[in-house]
Amino acid sequence: MSGLIAASWLLGNGHSAPAVPPASLGQPDLPLPETPTPAVPSPPSGQPGRPTPGDTSLPEIPGTGVLRHGDSGHGVYELQVRLLQIPHAYPGGAIDGRFGTEVQQAVARFQERYGIRGDETGVYGDNTRHALMLRTK
């Protein structure tokens, strides 16, 4: 209540109230610090479709790029989920995020069954990804 009396007294004496609200109203006095961007780990370099040392391109989005035997991660997990939706392509296959022999064979079966060309047999490249995404959810 005393704040209202002081403000009233200041206004009544020809003084204006401060243009900046007091800090007690929850207004920060200093700009907020910027939130750092989380680091995205890069896949190993020197492999086809992988960044090389000194590469300044943006990191790949999970699930994009070429996936092949030996790869692992979220993109492989998504591939496995989609392969299970194709009848007889990946029967009883694991959903573990590892691109092993079973996944490679499932990708090859899918490519052959649907006539996918442009990617190596058993390699999940752009053409295979597009065809699989059109047929799955």
PDB file of all heavy atoms in Angstrom, residues 56-76:
ATOM      1  N   THR A  56      31.954 -28.969 -42.912  1.00  0.00           N
ATOM      2  CA  THR A  56      31.160 -27.994 -42.178  1.00  0.00           C
ATOM      3  C   THR A  56      29.676 -28.094 -42.500  1.00  0.00           C
ATOM      4  O   THR A  56      28.915 -27.220 -42.133  1.00  0.00           O
ATOM      5  CB  THR A  56      31.653 -26.569 -42.482  1.00  0.00           C
ATOM      6  OG1 THR A  56      31.550 -26.333 -43.888  1.00  0.00           O
ATOM      7  CG2 THR A  56      33.084 -26.370 -42.014  1.00  0.00           C
ATOM      8  N   SER A  57      29.258 -29.152 -43.186  1.00  0.00           N
ATOM      9  CA  SER A  57      27.850 -29.294 -43.521  1.00  0.00           C
ATOM     10  C   SER A  57      27.042 -29.609 -42.264  1.00  0.00           C
ATOM     11  O   SER A  57      27.578 -30.015 -41.242  1.00  0.00           O
ATOM     12  CB  SER A  57      27.655 -30.394 -44.568  1.00  0.00           C
ATOM     13  OG  SER A  57      28.046 -31.635 -44.037  1.00  0.00           O
ATOM     14  N   LEU A  58      25.749 -29.403 -42.359  1.00  0.00           N
ATOM     15  CA  LEU A  58      24.867 -29.682 -41.237  1.00  0.00           C
ATOM     16  C   LEU A  58      24.836 -31.173 -40.955  1.00  0.00           C
ATOM     17  O   LEU A  58      24.966 -31.984 -41.875  1.00  0.00           O
ATOM     18  CB  LEU A  58      23.450 -29.192 -41.549  1.00  0.00           C
ATOM     19  CG  LEU A  58      23.299 -27.683 -41.693  1.00  0.00           C
ATOM     20  CD1 LEU A  58      21.895 -27.351 -42.155  1.00  0.00           C
ATOM     21  CD2 LEU A  58      23.613 -26.978 -40.397  1.00  0.00           C
ATOM     22  N   PRO A  59      24.625 -31.570 -39.687  1.00  0.00           N
ATOM     23  CA  PRO A  59      24.538 -33.000 -39.385  1.00  0.00           C
ATOM     24  C   PRO A  59      23.301 -33.602 -40.037  1.00  0.00           C
ATOM     25  O   PRO A  59      22.314 -32.905 -40.272  1.00  0.00           O
ATOM     26  CB  PRO A  59      24.429 -33.047 -37.859  1.00  0.00           C
ATOM     27  CG  PRO A  59      23.995 -31.688 -37.454  1.00  0.00           C
ATOM     28  CD  PRO A  59      24.462 -30.739 -38.517  1.00  0.00           C
ATOM     29  N   GLU A  60      23.394 -34.891 -40.341  1.00  0.00           N
ATOM     30  CA  GLU A  60      22.270 -35.580 -40.960  1.00  0.00           C
ATOM     31  C   GLU A  60      21.136 -35.732 -39.969  1.00  0.00           C
ATOM     32  O   GLU A  60      21.345 -35.907 -38.778  1.00  0.00           O
ATOM     33  CB  GLU A  60      22.695 -36.971 -41.448  1.00  0.00           C
ATOM     34  CG  GLU A  60      23.638 -36.917 -42.623  1.00  0.00           C
ATOM     35  CD  GLU A  60      23.955 -38.305 -43.152  1.00  0.00           C
ATOM     36  OE1 GLU A  60      23.387 -39.284 -42.688  1.00  0.00           O
ATOM     37  OE2 GLU A  60      24.795 -38.386 -44.047  1.00  0.00           O
ATOM     38  N   ILE A  61      19.928 -35.681 -40.477  1.00  0.00           N
ATOM     39  CA  ILE A  61      18.749 -35.917 -39.662  1.00  0.00           C
ATOM     40  C   ILE A  61      18.634 -37.417 -39.463  1.00  0.00           C
ATOM     41  O   ILE A  61      18.825 -38.179 -40.410  1.00  0.00           O
ATOM     42  CB  ILE A  61      17.491 -35.376 -40.374  1.00  0.00           C
ATOM     43  CG1 ILE A  61      17.632 -33.863 -40.568  1.00  0.00           C
ATOM     44  CG2 ILE A  61      16.231 -35.720 -39.612  1.00  0.00           C
ATOM     45  CD1 ILE A  61      16.587 -33.271 -41.471  1.00  0.00           C
ATOM     46  N   PRO A  62      18.338 -37.864 -38.234  1.00  0.00           N
ATOM     47  CA  PRO A  62      18.207 -39.309 -38.019  1.00  0.00           C
ATOM     48  C   PRO A  62      17.214 -39.913 -39.002  1.00  0.00           C
ATOM     49  O   PRO A  62      16.149 -39.361 -39.237  1.00  0.00           O
ATOM     50  CB  PRO A  62      17.689 -39.419 -36.591  1.00  0.00           C
ATOM     51  CG  PRO A  62      18.125 -38.167 -35.939  1.00  0.00           C
ATOM     52  CD  PRO A  62      18.114 -37.109 -37.021  1.00  0.00           C
ATOM     53  N   GLY A  63      17.580 -41.042 -39.570  1.00  0.00           N
ATOM     54  CA  GLY A  63      16.697 -41.722 -40.511  1.00  0.00           C
ATOM     55  C   GLY A  63      16.930 -41.314 -41.946  1.00  0.00           C
ATOM     56  O   GLY A  63      16.252 -41.792 -42.834  1.00  0.00           O
ATOM     57  N   THR A  64      17.855 -40.387 -42.181  1.00  0.00           N
ATOM     58  CA  THR A  64      18.174 -40.011 -43.554  1.00  0.00           C
ATOM     59  C   THR A  64      19.610 -40.419 -43.854  1.00  0.00           C
ATOM     60  O   THR A  64      20.354 -40.782 -42.964  1.00  0.00           O
ATOM     61  CB  THR A  64      18.017 -38.491 -43.770  1.00  0.00           C
ATOM     62  OG1 THR A  64      18.951 -37.816 -42.944  1.00  0.00           O
ATOM     63  CG2 THR A  64      16.618 -38.023 -43.457  1.00  0.00           C
ATOM     64  N   GLY A  65      19.972 -40.343 -45.102  1.00  0.00           N
ATOM     65  CA  GLY A  65      21.303 -40.791 -45.489  1.00  0.00           C
ATOM     66  C   GLY A  65      21.270 -42.280 -45.768  1.00  0.00           C
ATOM     67  O   GLY A  65      20.257 -42.955 -45.627  1.00  0.00           O
ATOM     68  N   VAL A  66      22.390 -42.800 -46.148  1.00  0.00           N
ATOM     69  CA  VAL A  66      22.502 -44.217 -46.491  1.00  0.00           C
ATOM     70  C   VAL A  66      22.754 -45.021 -45.215  1.00  0.00           C
ATOM     71  O   VAL A  66      23.591 -44.658 -44.405  1.00  0.00           O
ATOM     72  CB  VAL A  66      23.641 -44.430 -47.509  1.00  0.00           C
ATOM     73  CG1 VAL A  66      23.844 -45.909 -47.791  1.00  0.00           C
ATOM     74  CG2 VAL A  66      23.353 -43.674 -48.789  1.00  0.00           C
ATOM     75  N   LEU A  67      21.997 -46.100 -45.062  1.00  0.00           N
ATOM     76  CA  LEU A  67      22.201 -47.032 -43.946  1.00  0.00           C
ATOM     77  C   LEU A  67      22.619 -48.367 -44.529  1.00  0.00           C
ATOM     78  O   LEU A  67      22.048 -48.830 -45.511  1.00  0.00           O
ATOM     79  CB  LEU A  67      20.919 -47.186 -43.125  1.00  0.00           C
ATOM     80  CG  LEU A  67      20.407 -45.933 -42.424  1.00  0.00           C
ATOM     81  CD1 LEU A  67      19.055 -46.194 -41.779  1.00  0.00           C
ATOM     82  CD2 LEU A  67      21.413 -45.454 -41.392  1.00  0.00           C
ATOM     83  N   ARG A  68      23.620 -48.985 -43.889  1.00  0.00           N
ATOM     84  CA  ARG A  68      24.120 -50.265 -44.386  1.00  0.00           C
ATOM     85  C   ARG A  68      24.580 -51.127 -43.229  1.00  0.00           C
ATOM     86  O   ARG A  68      24.605 -50.688 -42.084  1.00  0.00           O
ATOM     87  CB  ARG A  68      25.241 -50.057 -45.377  1.00  0.00           C
ATOM     88  CG  ARG A  68      26.443 -49.350 -44.783  1.00  0.00           C
ATOM     89  CD  ARG A  68      27.436 -49.000 -45.835  1.00  0.00           C
ATOM     90  NE  ARG A  68      26.692 -48.212 -46.774  1.00  0.00           N
ATOM     91  CZ  ARG A  68      27.107 -47.762 -47.938  1.00  0.00           C
ATOM     92  NH1 ARG A  68      28.271 -47.973 -48.320  1.00  0.00           N
ATOM     93  NH2 ARG A  68      26.364 -47.080 -48.737  1.00  0.00           N
ATOM     94  N   HIS A  69      24.943 -52.361 -43.574  1.00  0.00           N
ATOM     95  CA  HIS A  69      25.401 -53.335 -42.582  1.00  0.00           C
ATOM     96  C   HIS A  69      26.461 -52.696 -41.684  1.00  0.00           C
ATOM     97  O   HIS A  69      27.387 -52.059 -42.167  1.00  0.00           O
ATOM     98  CB  HIS A  69      25.980 -54.565 -43.288  1.00  0.00           C
ATOM     99  CG  HIS A  69      26.207 -55.709 -42.376  1.00  0.00           C
ATOM    100  ND1 HIS A  69      27.356 -55.852 -41.646  1.00  0.00           N
ATOM    101  CD2 HIS A  69      25.419 -56.763 -42.057  1.00  0.00           C
ATOM    102  CE1 HIS A  69      27.280 -56.949 -40.911  1.00  0.00           C
ATOM    103  NE2 HIS A  69      26.107 -57.520 -41.157  1.00  0.00           N
ATOM    104  N   GLY A  70      26.284 -52.842 -40.375  1.00  0.00           N
ATOM    105  CA  GLY A  70      27.220 -52.289 -39.405  1.00  0.00           C
ATOM    106  C   GLY A  70      26.764 -50.981 -38.785  1.00  0.00           C
ATOM    107  O   GLY A  70      27.271 -50.578 -37.751  1.00  0.00           O
ATOM    108  N   ASP A  71      25.800 -50.293 -39.416  1.00  0.00           N
ATOM    109  CA  ASP A  71      25.291 -49.050 -38.854  1.00  0.00           C
ATOM    110  C   ASP A  71      24.379 -49.348 -37.670  1.00  0.00           C
ATOM    111  O   ASP A  71      23.862 -50.464 -37.518  1.00  0.00           O
ATOM    112  CB  ASP A  71      24.518 -48.250 -39.901  1.00  0.00           C
ATOM    113  CG  ASP A  71      25.418 -47.597 -40.937  1.00  0.00           C
ATOM    114  OD1 ASP A  71      26.623 -47.454 -40.665  1.00  0.00           O
ATOM    115  OD2 ASP A  71      24.908 -47.224 -42.013  1.00  0.00           O
ATOM    116  N   SER A  72      24.164 -48.345 -36.851  1.00  0.00           N
ATOM    117  CA  SER A  72      23.245 -48.488 -35.726  1.00  0.00           C
ATOM    118  C   SER A  72      22.678 -47.123 -35.385  1.00  0.00           C
ATOM    119  O   SER A  72      23.190 -46.099 -35.825  1.00  0.00           O
ATOM    120  CB  SER A  72      23.957 -49.086 -34.511  1.00  0.00           C
ATOM    121  OG  SER A  72      24.987 -48.230 -34.074  1.00  0.00           O
ATOM    122  N   GLY A  73      21.603 -47.130 -34.623  1.00  0.00           N
ATOM    123  CA  GLY A  73      21.015 -45.876 -34.177  1.00  0.00           C
ATOM    124  C   GLY A  73      19.547 -45.775 -34.515  1.00  0.00           C
ATOM    125  O   GLY A  73      18.893 -46.739 -34.927  1.00  0.00           O
ATOM    126  N   HIS A  74      19.038 -44.551 -34.319  1.00  0.00           N
ATOM    127  CA  HIS A  74      17.608 -44.305 -34.479  1.00  0.00           C
ATOM    128  C   HIS A  74      17.128 -44.565 -35.913  1.00  0.00           C
ATOM    129  O   HIS A  74      16.043 -45.081 -36.126  1.00  0.00           O
ATOM    130  CB  HIS A  74      17.271 -42.871 -34.069  1.00  0.00           C
ATOM    131  CG  HIS A  74      15.819 -42.561 -34.121  1.00  0.00           C
ATOM    132  ND1 HIS A  74      14.938 -43.057 -33.195  1.00  0.00           N
ATOM    133  CD2 HIS A  74      15.093 -41.846 -35.003  1.00  0.00           C
ATOM    134  CE1 HIS A  74      13.721 -42.640 -33.500  1.00  0.00           C
ATOM    135  NE2 HIS A  74      13.790 -41.906 -34.585  1.00  0.00           N
ATOM    136  N   GLY A  75      17.936 -44.204 -36.898  1.00  0.00           N
ATOM    137  CA  GLY A  75      17.547 -44.432 -38.293  1.00  0.00           C
ATOM    138  C   GLY A  75      17.352 -45.908 -38.590  1.00  0.00           C
ATOM    139  O   GLY A  75      16.416 -46.296 -39.297  1.00  0.00           O
ATOM    140  N   VAL A  76      18.209 -46.754 -38.045  1.00  0.00           N
ATOM    141  CA  VAL A  76      18.083 -48.204 -38.249  1.00  0.00           C
ATOM    142  C   VAL A  76      16.848 -48.714 -37.510  1.00  0.00           C
ATOM    143  O   VAL A  76      16.105 -49.552 -38.027  1.00  0.00           O
ATOM    144  CB  VAL A  76      19.352 -48.944 -37.788  1.00  0.00           C
ATOM    145  CG1 VAL A  76      19.195 -50.453 -37.958  1.00  0.00           C
ATOM    146  CG2 VAL A  76      20.575 -48.448 -38.545  1.00  0.00           C
TER     147      VAL A  76
END
